[in-house]
């Protein structure tokens, strides 16, 4: 604001036109309009109607797309459907439809606003004096007084009902914006299905929890095998019979300072070694284990001299088998896969946010944002020489959530 301002009387202000008042406002704010041109100086210019229609079209598309987004989010069948199941196509296009409708709504809204500025708002070049430092005290005081005066003279200050309606409208408007986030909130206590390779739906269960029900679980590696292609008189087809995606692991399968990702394999789903049957079809169950969100485990074989210096976690001193240690691969920060093992330093690294865990000290975090050690899986070897789980994880796997005790 300028320090040299003329005091206009109320009669003088009333006698000014809208353009004169606007010019006075720019002068009081020390703004100089260097250039100004009306977009449509001629009344009923056909170009004005065309601009209005084009802006309206984009706003209309934005409204339709936004309504479509809410419709898809609320009513589209979103439940997971596997390959070949009825409704799999509808499930597959659910997320793309959300992205398409929301993106189209935001894009068209933005285009419409830009078109208003480019085609309808007068073209203008204005320059305002810049003042370094904070505003003068008189400016701060007068602005505060103007805001308070606006609140009082609007009568909202003494109308409690209108204040409540205004606050409620603001809260509801905020809920409209954050409503889609509700789908990301999950009740950790909710049991959604019977125990299987995905746990039972609660956040502290996994495929390894099957051990608590008496299921013998092998530590199994992923072979990467896929369905086999067959050609015959009836045509071409793919078959998973006799294909084993998971195979059991022996201690001698890992060299010193090596790490391998393993998954739980129930004894009934074993189809390798002397138990291999080319007619058995266990591929689907193997894939359920691999896709289990908390199943991946890092099996690490430390060097023998390093294993002698390991600091064991209290009450977990017997969780390892010789030089072999098994830690959850799910980072305790935000659930990324801690898929890197630095053999020279015996550190486990998470590539997402660079958390590091010391395998020589019960995989406790030594760098990065992770705050808790990786849960350790108790392991041993069975009578056939295969590595198996000796128990379930004794703490929830992955990042923190409410109701968690560790």
């Amino acid at each position: 604001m300028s320090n040299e301002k003329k005091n206009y009387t109320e009669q003088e202000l009333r006698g000014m036109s809208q353009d004169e008042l606007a010019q006075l406002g720019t002068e009081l704010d020390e703004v100089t309009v260097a250039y100004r041109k009306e977009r449509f100086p001629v009344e009923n210019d056909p170009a004005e109607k065309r601009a209005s229609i084009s802006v309206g079209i984009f706003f209309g598309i934005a409204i339709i797309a936004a309504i479509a987004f809410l419709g898809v989010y609320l009513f589209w069948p979103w439940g997971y459907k596997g390959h070949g199941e009825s409704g799999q196509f509808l499930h597959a296009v659910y997320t793309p439809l959300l992205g398409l409708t929301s993106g189209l709504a935001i894009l068209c809204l933005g285009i419409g606003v830009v078109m208003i500025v480019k085609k309808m708002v007068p073209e203008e070049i204005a320059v305002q004096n810049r003042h370094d430092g904070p505003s003068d005290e008189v400016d701060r005081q007068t602005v505060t007084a103007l805001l308070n005066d606006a609140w009082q003279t609007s009568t909202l200050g003494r109308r409690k009902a209108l204040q409540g309606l205004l606050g409620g409208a603001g809260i509801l408007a905020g809920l409209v914006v954050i409503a889609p986030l509700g789908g990301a909130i999950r009740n950790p206590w909710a049991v959604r299905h019977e125990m299987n390779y995905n746990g039972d739906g609660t956040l502290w269960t996994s495929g390894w929890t099957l051990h608590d029900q008496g299921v013998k679980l092998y530590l199994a590696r992923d072979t990467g095998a896929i369905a086999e292609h067959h050609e015959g008189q009836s045509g071409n087809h793919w078959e998973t019979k006799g294909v084993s995606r998971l195979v059991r692991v022996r201690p001698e399968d890992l060299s010193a300072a090596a790490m391998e990702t393993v998954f739980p394999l129930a004894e009934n789903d074993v189809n390798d070694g002397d138990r291999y049957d080319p007619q058995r079809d266990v591929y689907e169950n193997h894939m359920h284990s691999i896709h289990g969100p908390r199943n991946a485990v890092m099996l690490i074989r430390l060097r023998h001299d390093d294993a002698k210096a390991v600091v064991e976690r209290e009450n977990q001193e017997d969780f390892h088998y010789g030089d072999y240690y098994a830690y959850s691969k799910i980072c305790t920060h935000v659930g990324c896969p801690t898929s890197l093992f630095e053999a020279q330093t015996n550190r486990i690294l998470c590539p997402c946010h660079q958390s590091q865990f010391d395998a020589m000290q019960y995989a406790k975090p030594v760098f990065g944002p992770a705050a808790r050690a990786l849960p350790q899986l108790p392991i041993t070897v069975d009578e056939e020489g295969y590595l198996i789980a000796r128990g379930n994880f004794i703490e929830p796997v992955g990042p923190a959530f409410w109701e968690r005790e560790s």
Side-chain angles (χ1 to χ4, degrees):
M1 294 183 180
S2 172
N3 293 328
E4 298 180 2
K5 297 177 181 178
K6 180 179 179 181
N7 294 322
Y8 293 92
T9 65
E10 183 177 353
Q11 184 177 3
E12 288 176 322
L13 293 173
R14 288 181 180 274
M16 293 182 181
S17 65
Q18 181 66 33
D19 292 339
E20 290 173 333
L21 286 172
Q23 184 177 357
L24 175 61
T26 59
E27 291 176 355
L28 293 178
D29 287 335
E30 300 184 24
V31 174
T32 301
V33 178
Y35 173 79
R36 180 183 177 90
K37 178 184 177 182
E38 296 291 336
R39 297 289 185 181
F40 311 107
V42 179
E43 190 174 355
N44 297 323
D45 189 340
E48 181 179 2
K49 185 176 181 179
R50 290 195 299 268
S52 178
I53 292 175
S54 60
V55 171
I57 288 175
F58 280 101
F59 282 165
I61 296 175
I63 291 172
I64 294 173
I67 294 174
F69 170 82
L70 293 175
V72 172
Y73 180 76
L74 295 174
F75 305 112
W76 198 271
W78 56 269
Y80 175 75
K81 297 292 182 180
H83 182 69
E85 293 185 62
S86 176
Q88 194 272 336
F89 175 76
L90 294 179
H91 161 71
V93 299
Y94 174 68
T95 301
L97 281 177
L98 289 179
L100 177 64
T101 53
S102 62
L104 189 62
I106 296 172
L107 179 63
C108 290
L109 177 62
I111 292 176
V113 171
V114 171
M115 290 180 67
I116 288 177
V117 175
K118 293 293 186 180
K119 292 188 175 184
M120 305 181 74
V121 175
E123 186 178 0
E124 181 179 281
I125 299 177
V127 180
Q128 183 177 20
N129 290 341
R130 176 180 176 180
H131 299 279
D132 295 331
S135 301
D136 295 334
E137 182 63 25
V138 63
D139 292 333
R140 293 197 293 268
Q141 292 291 341
T142 53
V143 169
T144 303
L146 286 171
L147 293 175
N148 290 333
D149 180 70
W151 175 258
Q152 295 298 328
T153 55
S154 67
T155 72
L156 286 176
R158 56 185 177 83
R159 296 183 185 272
K160 301 301 182 183
L162 284 180
Q163 290 182 34
L165 290 173
L166 178 61
I171 293 173
L172 290 175
L175 290 177
V176 169
V177 174
I178 65 174
L181 298 178
I185 300 175
R186 183 177 180 181
N187 179 9
W189 291 97
V191 176
R192 291 173 167 80
H193 49 75
E194 65 180 16
M195 192 69 66
N196 55 33
Y197 280 126
N198 291 291
D200 62 7
T202 56
L203 293 182
W204 48 78
T205 60
S206 67
W208 301 101
T209 312
L210 288 169
H211 184 279
D212 295 341
Q213 297 186 347
V215 179
K216 182 178 181 180
L217 295 174
Y218 290 92
L219 276 63
R221 62 157 57 102
D222 181 6
T223 64
I226 61 174
E228 296 179 348
H229 184 241
H230 293 273
E231 296 182 3
Q233 294 180 349
S234 60
N236 299 332
H237 65 281
W238 294 85
E239 190 174 282
T240 57
K241 186 184 298 183
V243 179
S244 293
R245 183 66 183 253
L246 292 176
V247 297
R248 295 171 293 174
V249 177
R250 296 179 182 271
E252 57 267 26
D253 292 338
L254 270 74
S255 59
M259 183 276 285
E260 183 160 357
T261 301
V262 293
F263 303 89
L265 177 62
E267 187 170 23
N268 288 340
D269 293 327
V270 172
N271 194 28
D272 65 74
D274 57 357
R275 299 194 197 179
Y276 179 73
D277 182 355
Q279 298 303 314
R280 289 195 66 197
D281 193 348
V282 294
Y283 190 82
E284 183 176 352
N285 289 344
H286 288 188
M287 294 303 294
H288 284 314
S289 177
I290 294 171
H291 291 158
R294 291 174 291 276
N295 288 351
V297 163
M298 292 177 298
L299 177 62
I300 299 174
R301 180 181 179 180
L302 297 175
R303 302 179 189 85
H304 186 65
D305 290 341
D306 290 340
K308 292 179 181 179
V310 168
V311 177
E312 307 287 357
R313 196 170 186 177
E314 186 177 0
N315 299 323
Q316 299 183 24
E317 293 86 354
D318 59 348
F319 275 26
H320 65 101
Y321 174 76
D323 301 341
Y324 298 83
Y325 290 77
Y327 297 107
S328 169
K329 196 173 182 178
I330 312 303
C331 183
T332 55
H333 176 219
V334 293
C336 294
T338 55
S339 54
L340 303 176
F341 178 63
E342 210 293 304
Q344 296 301 317
T345 60
N346 291 310
R347 286 194 177 186
I348 303 164
L349 294 87
C350 177
C352 290
H353 306 100
Q354 285 70 58
S355 292
Q356 296 183 21
F357 306 86
D358 190 355
M360 298 285 292
Q361 299 187 64
Y362 55 87
K364 77 172 185 178
V366 292
F367 181 82
R372 295 185 312 280
L374 297 173
Q376 185 175 354
L377 180 72
I379 59 174
T380 187
V381 170
D382 70 355
E383 63 279 359
E384 296 182 275
Y386 290 104
L387 287 163
I388 62 172
R390 193 169 58 81
N392 183 25
F393 288 106
I394 64 173
E395 60 180 318
V397 171
F401 53 88
W402 64 90
E403 306 290 354
R404 179 170 181 159
E405 298 179 355
S406 62

